[in-house]
Amino acid sequence: MRRYELMLVLRPDAPDDRSQAVIDRTTRQITASGGQIVKVAPWGRRRLAYPIDRYREGSYHIVLFEAPAEAILEVERGLLITEEVLRHLVIRVERPVRAARRDDADGSDTDEDDDLSIDDEELEDEGETIDESESEAAPAAIE
C-alpha cells in the first residue's frame, strides 16, 4: 500500500457536526476499501487565495493514510458530490528513506548519523567561490 495525503477545504459556514461527518465518512470509506488512517489533522479556518463559490475562507483538514490505488478513486468520487467540500487534493507521499545499518568488523553497530555524514571538503567543493577581482561591489565596500 502507498501513503497518501488528502487535503480537504470545507465550506466555512458548514456546521461543525456536518464537517466532522464529512471527515468521518471519508475515513470510513478509506478503511472499508482496505486502507489505514495514519493521522487526521484539522488546520482550522484560513483565507483562500481566490474566491470559491463566493467564499473567501475555508476550513482546512489534512488526512494522512495508506491505501491501495483503487481506494483513491472511490474517495474522490464521494468528495466530488459532497456539498460541504469546496476543494480536495490527494497526493502520494514518499516515505522517508532510512539509512541501512552496517556492522563493523568487530560486530558492533554504527550510528545512523555516520552513514549520513558529509565531509567539509565536499561541501566546499560544491559551493561557488567568488574572487574579489570578480566582484562588482563598490571599492569602499571591499575595503
Side-chain angles (χ1 to χ4, degrees), residues 4 11-12 22-23 43-44 46 49 54 63 71 78 82-83 88 96 100 104 107 113 115 132 139 143:
Y4 296 94
R11 290 184 3 197
V22 170
I23 295 167
W43 277 16
R46 295 177 184 252
R54 296 182 307 224
V63 179
T82 305
E83 289 181 15
H88 73 279
D104 287 342
D113 296 336
D115 296 357
E132 287 183 17
E143 296 173 6

Side-chain angles (χ1 to χ4, degrees), residues 9-70:
V9 181
L10 303 176
R11 290 184 3 197
D13 62 348
D16 289 338
D17 59 337
R18 297 274 299 187
S19 298
Q20 191 61 40
V22 170
I23 295 167
D24 290 341
R25 185 174 61 236
T26 304
T27 56
R28 273 188 273 122
Q29 200 172 24
I30 291 168
T31 55
S33 61
Q36 292 179 324
I37 304 298
V38 176
K39 183 179 180 181
V40 177
W43 277 16
R45 290 178 78 168
R46 295 177 184 252
R47 186 168 174 81
L48 300 173
Y50 54 89
I52 301 173
D53 295 337
R54 296 182 307 224
Y55 292 106
R56 300 293 295 167
E57 290 184 333
S59 178
Y60 283 73
H61 296 273
I62 301 290
V63 179
L64 189 65
F65 63 96
E66 294 177 357
E70 300 83 33

Side-chain angles (χ1 to χ4, degrees), residues 2-8 62-67 72 76 88-94:
R2 294 185 173 167
R3 184 170 285 192
Y4 296 94
E5 182 178 282
L6 167 66
M7 176 177 273
L8 291 169
I62 301 290
V63 179
L64 189 65
F65 63 96
E66 294 177 357
I72 305 303
E76 285 190 323
H88 73 279
L89 179 66
V90 179
I91 60 169
R92 191 173 124 201
V93 178
E94 296 295 327

